Amino acid sequence: MSELKGYQVAVVGATGAVGQKILETLEKKQFPIAKLILLSSKRSAGTNLKYNGEVYTVEEAKPESFEGVNIALFSAGGSVSKALAHEAVKRGAVVVDNTSAFRMDENVPLVVPEVNESDIKNHNGIIANPNCSTIQMVAALKPIKASFGLKRVLVSTYQAVSGAGNQAVEELSDQSQAFLNGEDLEPEILPVSGEKKHYPIAFNALPQIDVFQENGYTFEEMKMINETKKILHDDKLPVAATCVRLPFFTSHAESVYIEVEDDHASVEAIQKVLTEAPGVVLEDDPENQVYPTPLSATGKSDVFVGRIRKDLDQPKGFHLWVVSDNLLKGAAWNSVQIAESLIKNNWL
Ligand code: L14
């Protein structure tokens, strides 16, 4: 590896919705790359993609693909990560994994750099990138917890279709057009591709993201619950989630109810803490109708917070509205941040 020119970087799932954003982010942040290797499943191998003006042909990801790779960014689905992440590590790479394959593995740090960057140094070759909905919520909650303590979290999400991939994006687009033309289009992808039943997403709201678990919660809801406790190092924190898919393309919004420990917390004090928090932007001015929306957050790497209100009955209860680009801070940008931290701190 040439220290001057940079690192050998592999992007696994380069043709996917997140993979494409990873490439854009690496390019935008001028990540120090000596050699870039683009990998995918067999299905997408052969695709040509551009990086820094050069054309790269995507190759099928195999164990040997990781020979000489320093950093491998995985976002090709859980089964690809399970099959190949350890193969990459065996060959000397450090893996930043964007799937749910290893997130709750106790030997794998689960990291949002603004929240728990130092967990990265305990990695054993794999660092997990949390679920998109979890990332934006904990980015807002960490500074509040640090200043006022946190006793409870209840969240309802309003999630974009791009989290479910490019085919879901196409489905929303095609279905919306068909609906306005008075035509019928059979839903095929959402709520979850591979499930028995599909429901229309256009002009609808679907209270199912990822598959149902035995306890009646969906896997997306359980990811938010379990990952939040792990990232905040607070196993006993009560967290409940309801995850809902809405018909827009990018950025998730969340209505978050929290109860804090400190009697002195106020809307103004929480606003001040969030103003100073890294990666968080306060957009909270109801008098002037200022609050974030999925469209206003799209394309930006920060987490936006508005609508901060005191609960009317619970003295230590507060409500927040949290919005962020699910493909950037929720996925690509958070992964690249982890990779930057590995380099900056000599944790590779
Ligand atoms: O767990 O369908 O990283 O929107 C997050 C997005 C799983 C799918 C994860 C979706 C994915 C989910």
Side-chain angles (χ1 to χ4, degrees):
M1 167 187 69
S2 140
E3 296 289 319
L4 284 173
K5 286 219 283 300
Y7 300 84
Q8 287 208 25
V9 176
V11 177
V12 188
T15 59
V18 172
Q20 285 168 347
K21 291 291 168 195
I22 287 178
L23 290 178
E24 281 174 31
T25 305
L26 290 170
E27 192 172 321
K28 194 164 142 209
K29 303 285 171 183
Q30 300 192 11
F31 196 85
I33 297 179
K35 185 178 175 197
L36 180 66
I37 299 162
L38 302 188
L39 303 169
S40 72
S41 63
K42 195 170 188 164
R43 187 167 45 95
S44 309
T47 309
N48 285 331
L49 292 177
K50 262 199 175 165
Y51 182 81
N52 262 345
E54 268 180 65
V55 178
Y56 290 77
T57 303
V58 180
E59 293 161 41
E60 183 185 350
K62 293 182 180 155
E64 311 81 74
S65 316
F66 299 95
E67 224 58 78
V69 168
N70 305 115
I71 300 173
L73 303 164
F74 275 71
S75 64
S79 53
V80 174
S81 292
K82 280 179 190 154
L84 291 173
H86 291 290
E87 296 292 340
V89 173
K90 243 196 259 171
R91 288 166 175 80
V94 174
V95 168
V96 181
D97 185 45
N98 225 310
T99 75
S100 57
F102 307 110
R103 287 179 188 147
M104 296 312 296
D105 186 326
E106 43 175 70
N107 294 313
V108 174
L110 181 66
V111 177
V112 179
E114 291 87 347
V115 177
N116 61 333
E117 180 176 19
S118 61
D119 287 352
I120 295 175
K121 71 169 175 287
N122 299 320
H123 76 79
N124 298 298
I126 303 178
I127 298 124
N129 190 84
N131 170 267
C132 37
S133 303
T134 310
I135 292 177
Q136 65 184 69
M137 183 168 81
V138 296
L141 293 187
K142 170 67 194 280
I144 297 173
K145 182 178 197 282
S147 293
F148 310 110
L150 200 54
K151 278 201 310 201
R152 162 176 296 275
V153 179
L154 301 175
V155 55
S156 295
T157 68
Y158 305 72
Q159 295 186 220
V161 296
S162 55
N166 285 332
Q167 280 182 299
V169 167
E170 230 171 90
E171 175 160 88
L172 170 60
S173 177
D174 294 347
Q175 237 173 48
S176 305
Q177 263 159 8
F179 187 96
L180 292 175
N181 290 336
E183 298 157 10
D184 241 1
L185 253 195
E186 262 321 293
E188 285 171 7
I189 305 288
L190 291 164
V192 179
S193 78
E195 282 261 86
K196 282 195 285 300
K197 283 193 183 172
H198 298 286
Y199 296 106
I201 182 65
F203 305 95
N204 207 359
L206 304 177
Q208 182 190 356
I209 298 181
D210 220 326
V211 294
F212 278 99
Q213 311 291 287
E214 260 171 33
N215 65 3
Y217 285 73
T218 62
F219 190 34
E220 185 81 351
E221 290 160 352
M222 291 314 298
K223 283 181 261 181
M224 287 195 81
I225 292 165
N226 294 327
E227 293 178 20
T228 297
K229 296 176 206 234
K230 178 168 173 175
I231 298 164
L232 295 176
H233 297 280
D234 192 349
D235 282 345
K236 298 215 168 66
L237 179 69
V239 184
T242 302
C243 292
V244 180
R245 184 92 61 194
L246 289 183
F248 47 83
F249 294 118
T250 314
S251 298
H252 296 339
E254 304 177 339
S255 167
V256 186
Y257 170 74
I258 56 170
E259 283 168 24
V260 298
E261 268 156 20
D262 192 334
D263 292 321
H264 304 295
S266 64
V267 169
E268 295 71 27
I270 290 174
Q271 285 174 328
K272 182 163 187 290
V273 157
L274 290 176
T275 304
E276 289 158 6
V280 177
V281 175
L282 186 76
E283 290 188 344
D284 192 12
D285 181 7
E287 250 176 68
N288 293 304
Q289 286 178 281
V290 172
Y291 41 76
T293 67
L295 283 182
S296 70
T298 295
K300 300 177 184 154
S301 35
D302 292 307
V303 172
F304 299 89
V305 185
R307 301 291 327 273
I308 304 175
R309 284 151 293 150
K310 200 170 183 322
D311 190 72
L312 298 179
D313 299 297
Q314 171 56 246
K316 297 181 197 179
F318 294 88
H319 300 268
L320 341 162
W321 174 248
V322 180
V323 187
S324 190
D325 189 317
N326 58 309
L327 300 176
L328 294 180
K329 185 57 189 166
W333 170 227
N334 199 71
S335 289
V336 173
Q337 264 182 312
I338 292 171
E340 286 182 347
S341 173
L342 281 165
I343 295 172
K344 182 183 72 198
N345 294 295
N346 254 317
W347 289 334
L348 258 183

